[in-house]
């Protein structure tokens, strides 16, 4: 019996007396292993272990030791195991420790143990039987009968079979060696290809890096040129605007004197021409002022004066100053005071400029309806919206209106007023200077909504 609930079924018993019996034990051991379904390698391992043990007992020891070899199939809940026991009375002076040290066959089987049974020494080996083999009592009886009925081969036949097996193993080894050589050759060829590809990629990468460096240098040069041109443009605008402001203001003053009722009376034609001169000079002064403001913003000369600003006061001031422009009854100016508390940290003057610009722009391009300004707090931002019912802006041109001097083609002001193309770019620059942004949403013939987004607590 084996450990646990395993039941042992005797399969074959052999007697080992002389060196010639070693071949018999080896042969029969391999037959038993094959009969219970072990793989070929496991058959060879068991046969080799029995051969080593038999040779040690009848050849190596000073006095040959007779031995009994028993094969048993142990079937239990965890599976089936082939148990091989070699029982022998060893010559005096041979201990189990000496036997264990001399026999290095433990690596060939699952378990290897040397014990005592009275005066006899028992060498016990086990090897797991594959789970694919079903060993019922009937099957074990058939295996036992077949093993007992089969005739043992002669040592010469056993040696011939061993030679055949050895030749087959050598042929397999040679085939594996040839396959390994082929794989090594393929690997070497692959390595050469990889090395060539790596070299090519490295050269291409170096060439690309040189191109990137050259492009970066060119971009740096262009950036310097652009910065220089921008500074020159800013200086030019500031200088020209400053030089034009005084004479334009003088022209407006002179026309005002000519049109003054206290001055000498003018004919109707003269008065019309004087009005035209004053109107043109006023437009030119507006353009000059816009140029000056834009030049200051671009040069970084404008520094926000941060303070706590009450929005209701700003809205009230704009309602009063801008209402003077809303002279046509077809357009209504609506300024909705924000809900208290409506306090934001910003620059009151710059914010007022931005909102006044948007209200003027809405009144200028609205023929019927209204221009409405509202404010609301969303998360940590203040959003001021100026909505009009004017001519609107096509979607593809909504970003271009923030470019300097750009005006939407074919869509003039219904009031006859002319824009300079500088108000919206200046308003967006001021909005960003205050830590926010200016955005637009519009549909042609349905109006536009300009939204100023500002943080409640900007980071200076």
């Amino acid at each position: 019996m084996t450990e646990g609930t395993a039941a042992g079924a005797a399969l074959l018993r052999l007697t080992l007396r002389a060196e010639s019996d070693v071949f018999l034990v080896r042969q029969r051991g391999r037959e038993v292993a094959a009969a219970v379904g072990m793989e070929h390698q496991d058959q060879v391992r068991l046969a080799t272990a029995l051969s080593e043990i038999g040779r040690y007992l009848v050849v190596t020891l000073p006095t040959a030791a007779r031995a009994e070899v028993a094969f048993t199939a142990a079937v239990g809940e965890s599976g089936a195991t082939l148990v091989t026991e070699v029982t022998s009375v060893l010559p005096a002076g041979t201990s189990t420790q000496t036997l264990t040290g001399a026999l290095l066959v433990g690596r060939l089987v699952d378990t290897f143990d040397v014990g005592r049974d009275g005066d006899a020494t028992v060498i016990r080996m086990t090897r797991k039987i594959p789970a694919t083999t079903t060993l019922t009592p009937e099957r074990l009886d058939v295996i036992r009968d077949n093993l007992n009925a089969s005739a043992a081969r002669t040592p010469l036949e056993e040696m011939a079979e061993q030679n055949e097996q050895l030749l087959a193993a050598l042929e397999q080894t040679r085939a594996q060696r040839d396959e390994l050589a082929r794989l090594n050759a393929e690997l070497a060829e692959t390595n050469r290809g990889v090395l060539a590809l790596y070299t090519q990629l490295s050269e291409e990468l170096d060439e690309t890096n040189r191109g990137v460096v050259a492009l970066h240098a060119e971009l740096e040069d262009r950036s310097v040129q652009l910065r220089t041109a921008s500074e020159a443009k800013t200086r030019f605008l500031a200088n020209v605007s400053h030089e034009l402001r005084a004479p334009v203001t003088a022209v407006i003053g002179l026309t005002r004197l000519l049109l003054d009722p206290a001055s000498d009376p003018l004919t109707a034609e003269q008065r019309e021409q004087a009005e035209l001169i004053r109107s043109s000079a006023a437009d030119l002064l507006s353009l000059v002022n816009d140029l000056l403001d834009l030049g200051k913003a671009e040069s970084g000369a404008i520094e926000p004066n941060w303070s706590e600003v009450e929005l209701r006061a700003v809205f009230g001031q704009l309602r009063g100053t801008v209402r003077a422009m809303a002279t046509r009854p077809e357009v209504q100016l609506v300024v909705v005071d924000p809900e208290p508390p409506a306090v934001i940290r910003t620059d009151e003057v710059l914010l007022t400029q931005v909102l006044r610009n948007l209200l003027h722009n809405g009144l200028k391009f609205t023929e019927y309806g209204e221009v409405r300004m509202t404010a609301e707090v969303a998360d940590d931002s203040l959003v001021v919206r100026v909505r009009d019912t004017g001519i609107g802006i096509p979607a593809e041109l909504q970003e271009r209106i923030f470019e300097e001097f750009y005006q939407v083609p074919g869509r003039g002001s219904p009031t006859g007023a002319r824009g300079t193309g500088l108000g919206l770019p200046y308003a967006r620059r001021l909005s960003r200077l205050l830590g926010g942004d200016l955005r637009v949403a519009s549909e042609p013939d349905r109006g536009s909504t300009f939204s100023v987004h500002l943080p409640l607590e900007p980071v200076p």
Side-chain angles (χ1 to χ4, degrees):
M1 299 288 288
T2 62
E3 294 182 1
T5 59
L11 299 178
L12 182 66
R13 297 185 67 88
L14 300 172
T15 301
L16 182 64
R17 300 184 184 85
E19 184 176 359
S20 59
D21 295 332
V22 174
F23 295 98
L24 174 63
V25 170
R26 178 186 176 89
Q27 171 197 340
R28 301 296 277 174
R30 189 169 61 250
E31 291 176 357
V32 172
V36 297
M38 287 187 179
E39 296 180 355
H40 178 73
Q41 290 183 347
D42 291 336
Q43 299 173 24
V44 175
R45 290 189 181 99
L46 180 61
T48 302
L50 288 172
S51 177
E52 291 295 324
I53 294 173
R55 196 175 304 279
Y56 179 81
L57 293 177
V58 299
V59 177
T60 305
L61 290 177
T63 303
R66 183 177 180 275
E68 296 292 330
V69 181
F71 299 94
T72 305
V75 182
E77 296 178 358
S78 59
T81 304
L82 178 61
V83 181
T84 305
E85 292 183 343
V86 180
T87 305
S88 176
V89 178
L90 300 177
T94 305
S95 63
T96 56
Q97 290 80 3
T98 303
L99 181 61
T100 303
L103 297 175
L104 301 177
V105 297
R107 65 185 183 279
L108 300 174
V109 291
D110 294 338
T111 64
F112 176 81
D113 180 62
V114 179
R116 301 286 295 182
D117 184 9
D119 294 335
T121 298
V122 180
I123 301 173
R124 190 172 187 271
M125 299 178 295
T126 63
R127 189 73 184 183
K128 199 72 174 178
I129 296 174
T132 55
T133 302
T134 302
L135 296 178
T136 61
E138 293 76 12
R139 175 61 180 162
L140 291 173
D141 289 340
V142 172
I143 292 174
R144 182 188 307 108
D145 294 340
N146 291 338
L147 290 173
N148 290 325
S150 62
R153 290 175 295 179
T154 64
L156 185 59
E157 293 173 340
E158 177 69 15
M159 183 67 70
E161 183 176 349
Q162 291 183 23
N163 289 339
E164 291 178 0
Q165 294 175 357
L166 181 59
L167 290 175
L170 289 175
E171 183 62 28
Q172 184 179 4
T173 302
R174 185 181 297 108
Q176 292 176 350
R177 183 194 62 192
D178 295 341
E179 179 67 14
L180 181 61
R182 185 185 64 80
L183 292 176
N184 286 336
E186 292 181 359
L187 181 60
E189 183 65 25
T190 302
N191 287 340
R192 285 192 294 271
V194 169
L195 183 59
L197 179 61
Y198 175 77
T199 302
Q200 180 182 354
L201 291 177
S202 296
E203 294 174 353
E204 293 179 357
L205 182 59
D206 291 341
E207 183 66 24
T208 302
N209 288 338
R210 287 192 292 270
V212 169
V213 171
L215 179 60
H216 180 72
E218 183 179 354
L219 289 176
E220 283 289 335
D221 185 53
R222 294 292 178 86
S223 177
V224 172
Q225 294 177 8
L226 181 61
R227 187 163 52 251
T228 302
S230 178
E231 293 173 354
K233 183 197 72 173
T234 301
R235 288 195 302 269
F236 172 78
L237 292 177
N239 293 335
V240 170
S241 301
H242 181 72
E243 294 297 329
L244 286 175
R245 191 171 190 177
V248 170
T249 305
V251 171
I252 293 175
L254 290 174
T255 56
R256 187 181 296 114
L257 288 175
L258 290 174
L259 295 171
D260 193 327
S263 301
D264 294 336
L266 301 175
T267 65
E269 183 179 357
Q270 289 174 336
R271 178 171 293 278
E272 182 181 354
Q273 292 174 351
E275 288 287 355
L276 179 61
I277 293 172
R278 186 176 66 173
S279 175
S280 298
D283 290 342
L284 182 57
L285 182 61
S286 175
L287 175 60
V288 168
N289 289 333
D290 287 344
L291 285 173
L292 284 173
D293 291 337
L294 188 61
K296 290 179 182 178
E298 286 187 344
S299 63
I302 301 178
E303 289 291 337
N305 182 18
W306 303 104
S307 63
E308 300 294 329
V309 177
E310 173 60 53
L311 288 178
R312 295 172 68 88
V314 174
F315 275 42
Q317 177 188 356
L318 288 170
R319 184 185 296 110
T321 57
V322 180
R323 191 178 299 276
M325 291 190 60
T327 57
R328 291 177 294 113
E330 298 88 355
V331 180
Q332 183 180 5
L333 174 64
V334 181
V335 178
V336 181
D337 289 334
E339 294 291 333
V343 179
I344 182 175
R345 183 170 177 80
T346 186
D347 186 307
E348 182 175 353
V349 175
L350 298 182
L351 177 60
T352 303
Q353 282 185 278
V354 172
L355 299 181
R356 183 188 298 114
N357 184 298
L358 296 179
L359 290 172
H360 285 179
N361 206 63
L363 291 171
K364 187 187 306 180
F365 291 96
T366 301
E367 185 174 9
Y368 301 100
E370 68 175 16
V371 176
R372 178 181 294 267
M373 183 169 70
T374 60
E376 64 178 358
V377 175
D379 298 330
D380 295 332
S381 299
L382 170 72
V383 182
V384 181
R385 292 185 174 88
V386 177
R387 181 180 293 108
D388 64 59
T389 57
I391 58 177
I393 307 167
E396 65 274 12
L397 302 179
Q398 291 178 11
E399 278 302 312
R400 295 207 61 188
I401 62 174
F402 295 106
E403 297 176 6
E404 299 167 9
F405 300 105
Y406 183 80
Q407 296 182 6
V408 178
R411 303 184 75 85
S413 168
T415 64
R418 298 177 60 189
T420 62
L422 295 175
L424 289 176
Y426 180 59
R428 172 171 274 189
R429 285 183 182 275
L430 292 185
S431 300
R432 291 177 175 176
L433 188 63
L434 295 175
D437 198 9
L438 174 60
R439 306 168 190 170
V440 63
S442 181
E443 293 184 35
D445 301 322
R446 299 192 63 178
S448 305
T449 300
F450 289 88
S451 304
V452 181
H453 297 255
L454 296 174
L456 295 178
E457 290 291 338
V459 179

